[in-house]
């Protein structure tokens, strides 16, 4: 129709996915990845340095503080932007967060399509788990009594969300990537960290909680 602007062809799957007014990624791949890694390194380095000033903090606790800040900010900033910016694919300003999701959608086009399951998972993650991760870092730093149970709960939530993310993709045909590189680099490898690390943390917290309960049980028996 004359006078009607046409969206640029998109790289996502399926090819007939309707993305009105789609604007292609303008930032180079190296810039998108570089900014994410550099900012992550700066934040975790700052937390590592500051945590070293806390008394009697073991290396594992300092590493956990770095993880919780990293994953918490990722949830709140990156995933939060996706949840509350439904038309990120129309962005013409080269805004970094919009560019991230245009690029990531090459590995999983459900993001560009705003699939309801994905929006729900990311919404809960950004609004609930993101702040909870920052609270977990604070709990470790201040040795709060709820530290282990909080870390355990968040880790279970991350595992649940990640498994649900994969399972829904498989049930829907597992055909949302633009190519093998995007499939393995974005969809498989990038998300695998939210299976491996939460699993290790959940196991550690489980052992700590069980040990504390056993110790409490022994104390009660001695008192009797």
């Amino acid at each position: 129709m004359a006078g009607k602007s046409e969206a640029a062809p998109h790289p996502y799957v399926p090819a007939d996915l309707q993305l009105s007014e789609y604007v292609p990624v303008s930032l180079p791949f190296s810039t998108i990845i570089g900014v994410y890694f550099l900012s992550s390194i700066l934040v975790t380095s700052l937390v590592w340095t500051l945590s070293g000033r806390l008394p009697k903090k073991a290396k594992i606790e300092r590493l956990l503080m770095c993880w919780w800040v990293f994953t918490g900010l990722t949830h709140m900033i990156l995933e939060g932007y996706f949840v509350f910016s439904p038309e990120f694919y129309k962005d013409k300003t080269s805004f970094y967060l919009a560019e991230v999701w245009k690029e990531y959608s090459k590995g999983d086009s459900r993001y560009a399509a705003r699939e309801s399951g994905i929006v729900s998972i990311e919404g809960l993650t950004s609004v609930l788990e993101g702040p909870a991760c920052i609270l977990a870092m604070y709990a470790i730093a201040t040795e709060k009594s709820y530290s282990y149970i909080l870390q355990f709960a968040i880790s279970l939530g991350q595992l649940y969300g990640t498994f649900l993310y994969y399972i829904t993709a498989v049930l829907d045909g597992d055909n949302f990537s633009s190519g093998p590189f995007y499939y393995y680099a974005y969809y498989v490898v990038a998300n695998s960290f939210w299976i491996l690390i939460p699993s290790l943390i959940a196991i550690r917290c489980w052992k700590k909680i069980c040990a504390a309960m056993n110790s409490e049980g022994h104390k009660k028996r001695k008192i009797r």
Side-chain angles (χ1 to χ4, degrees), residues 84-214:
F84 297 106
S85 302
E87 298 184 336
F88 67 86
Y89 58 84
K90 296 181 181 181
D91 182 78
K92 301 178 181 179
T93 65
S94 298
F95 181 58
Y96 177 74
L97 295 178
E99 296 291 284
V100 167
W101 289 111
K102 289 181 188 179
E103 179 66 23
Y104 184 80
S105 294
K106 295 177 183 178
D108 189 342
S109 63
R110 292 179 297 172
Y111 282 81
R114 300 291 296 180
E115 197 271 333
S116 59
I118 291 296
V119 176
S120 299
I121 293 172
E122 296 289 9
L124 291 172
T125 300
S126 62
V127 174
L128 298 180
E129 291 183 7
C133 290
I134 304 302
L135 180 59
M137 183 275 294
Y138 169 78
I140 296 172
T142 55
E143 300 182 354
K144 296 296 184 182
S145 58
Y146 57 78
S147 175
Y148 291 119
I149 189 63
L150 176 62
Q151 293 180 69
F152 183 73
I154 300 171
S155 295
L156 289 185
Q158 290 178 325
L159 287 170
Y160 177 81
T162 307
F163 279 122
L164 190 62
Y165 170 71
Y166 282 129
I167 291 171
T168 53
V170 171
L171 292 177
D172 288 336
D174 197 17
N175 183 31
F176 302 100
S177 297
S178 301
F181 169 78
Y182 301 112
Y183 180 85
Y184 290 104
Y186 298 171
Y187 176 73
V188 176
V189 175
N191 289 287
S192 65
F193 291 102
W194 275 268
I195 291 179
L196 175 61
I197 297 177
S199 294
L200 295 175
I201 294 175
I203 292 171
R204 179 176 184 269
C205 291
W206 177 269
K207 291 180 178 179
K208 292 286 187 179
I209 293 170
C210 289
M213 294 302 295
N214 287 333

Side-chain angles (χ1 to χ4, degrees), residues 64-76:
L64 285 171
M65 290 174 66
C66 291
W67 163 254
W68 288 123
V69 169
F70 162 75
T71 189
L73 293 178
T74 296
H75 291 331
M76 289 190 293

Side-chain angles (χ1 to χ4, degrees), residues 4-10 17-24 89-90:
K4 183 178 180 180
S5 60
E6 294 184 359
H10 63 72
L17 175 64
Q18 296 298 312
L19 293 177
S20 177
E21 300 179 51
Y22 167 74
V23 177
Y89 58 84
K90 296 181 181 181

